[in-house]
Structure formats: structure tokens, C-alpha cells
């Protein structure tokens, strides 16, 4: 794996996303590369040392997840008081906003969790090495439903990697194609039976299955 040595962002072109997802599974759940199954992403996150908390991250519910790379404070939203509040979190904390997750086009908690695992797996060096002027604050990435206007180019690159790799972890190419071959998927038809069946088998959303079928040239 190559890194950009100036900022420690890994260089991962989209053609490598499947390979990175396979490397991740070889390390954390090799069984998922042998047979079609629901990847136990909660257990994998726990094995990686990540602790998940479900909190409200923004008033507009447009930030669905965050991974915290260094101990420190982070602003979260309190829907009861209608106010933002600063709270201290430990590194390796993953925050998920369940309301905002519903607004993403692959809206399921498993995909969000896989997405945050990719950030920890591939992007922790970047955040560790960032020059930081506010030591009390945590270093973290925020994952939004739509691209944030203040996101930097570095952040957009890493966000693109996490968006691309997460569904490939939950539906690894070879076993996904193997499972999909059990159904008669016909181009131009709605194929609901296959989509429901695969969503159930891999425990992901139907939208996620449709995107994956298209990526694998099956739809
Ligand atoms: Zn993200």
C-alpha cells in the first residue's frame, strides 16, 4: 500500500477498492471470503478496539458518523435542549447518528459502521500526523450525507475511499457474485426477489445491494 508521504493519505484508486476490502476481511473475518454471509461488523469493530456510541451529531441530521483518532473534545448536538455541546471522547470512539443514517443512500447502520472501520483502518496515520493548534479538541473525521462545504481536499479523498470500500467489505465481490448467481437476475427487470434475498443474506440495505449488483455488472 502506497502512502502520499506528504500527508500520509493512502493512495487507493477505485480499481483497488475490492482488493483493500479483501485484505481487511483476511485480517478480521476470513470466513466472509469463503462463503456468502452477513459480515459481523459490530464484532469486527470491537476486535479493532473501536467503541460505538449512538448520539445526535448535528441539528440538520446531515452528519451520520464520526471516528475519533485522538482523545479530546468534540461538538455534538443535544436535540432536547436544541443546543450544541462540547463533550470529551476517547480515541477509538465511533459516533453514529441513527437519524442521519436513514438519510444516506445506503442507509443502514452496518454500512456506516463498516465506513468508520475503513477510516480507522486506513486513515488513522493521517489524523495522527496532522499539525494541530487546539490540543483540547479531538482529531476526528466527520462523515456527512452530502459533501460538507468546509471539507478539505484531503478529507474528500479519504471520504471517497471509505464510501467506496465499506460496501465491498459487507459484500465481498467473489462471494457476492456467487450468491447473486443463485437468482435469475434479468437486466431491465426489477429483480425484487433477488434484491430482497441478497439484502437479507448479507444483512445490508436493498439500495446497497442494487448498487453492488451494478458495480459487479450483474444489473
Ligand atoms: Zn467518512
Amino acid at each position: 500500500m502506497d502512502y502520499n508521504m506528504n500527508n500520509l493519505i493512502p493512495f487507493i484508486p477505485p480499481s483497488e477498492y475490492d482488493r483493500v476490502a479483501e485484505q481487511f476481511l483476511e485480517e478480521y473475518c476470513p470466513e466472509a471470503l469463503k462463503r456468502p454471509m452477513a459480515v459481523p461488523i459490530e464484532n469486527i469493530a470491537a476486535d479493532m478496539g473501536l467503541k460505538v456510541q449512538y448520539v445526535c451529531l448535528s441539528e440538520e441530521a446531515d452528519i451520520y458518523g464520526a471516528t475519533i483518532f485522538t482523545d479530546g473534545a468534540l461538538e455534538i448536538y443535544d436535540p432536547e435542549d436544541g443546543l450544541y455541546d462540547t463533550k470529551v471522547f476517547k480515541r477509538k470512539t465511533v459516533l453514529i447518528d441513527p437519524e442521519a443514517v436513514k438519510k444516506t443512500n445506503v442507509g443502514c447502520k452496518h454500512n456506516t459502521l463498516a465506513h468508520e472501520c475503513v477510516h480507522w483502518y486506513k486513515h488513522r496515520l493521517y489524523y495522527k500526523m496532522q499539525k494541530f493548534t487546539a490540543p483540547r479538541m479531538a482529531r476526528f473525521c466527520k462523515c456527512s450525507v452530502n459533501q460538507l462545504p468546509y471539507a478539505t481536499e484531503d478529507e474528500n479523498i479519504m471520504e471517497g475511499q471509505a464510501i467506496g470500500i465499506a460496501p465491498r467489505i459487507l459484500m465481498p465481490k467473489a462471494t457476492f457474485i456467487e450468491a447473486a448467481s443463485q437468482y435469475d437476475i434479468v437486466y431491465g427487470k426489477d429483480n425484487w426477489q433477488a434484491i430482497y434475498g441478497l439484502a437479507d443474506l448479507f444483512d445490508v440495505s436493498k439500495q446497497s445491494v442494487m448498487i453492488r449488483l451494478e458495480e459487479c455488472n450483474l444489473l
Side-chain angles (χ1 to χ4, degrees), residues 29 32 35-41 110 170 199-204:
C29 186
R35 63 176 179 89
M37 61 182 275
V39 172
I41 195 71
H110 286 175
L170 299 178
D200 200 40
L201 174 58
F202 289 93
D203 206 358
V204 294

Side-chain angles (χ1 to χ4, degrees), residues 22 25 30-39 168-182 198 201-202 212 216 218:
E22 281 164 20
L25 289 169
E31 208 188 337
L33 295 170
K34 296 190 190 101
R35 63 176 179 89
M37 61 182 275
V39 172
R168 288 167 162 87
I169 288 173
L170 299 178
M171 293 168 280
K173 192 169 187 178
T175 52
F176 183 77
I177 291 173
E178 182 191 327
S181 71
Q182 311 289 316
L198 291 166
L201 174 58
F202 289 93
R212 197 73 182 114
C216 295
L218 295 169

Side-chain angles (χ1 to χ4, degrees), residues 16-61:
E16 299 274 300
Y17 287 171
D18 280 312
R19 202 171 63 88
V20 172
E22 281 164 20
Q23 285 168 347
F24 178 93
L25 289 169
E26 269 162 25
E27 195 169 336
Y28 293 105
C29 186
E31 208 188 337
L33 295 170
K34 296 190 190 101
R35 63 176 179 89
M37 61 182 275
V39 172
I41 195 71
E42 278 109 343
N43 298 349
I44 291 173
D47 290 347
M48 293 172 85
L50 300 175
K51 295 206 168 55
V52 183
Q53 291 186 31
Y54 294 94
V55 294
C56 191
L57 290 167
S58 65
E59 184 178 6
E60 299 81 12

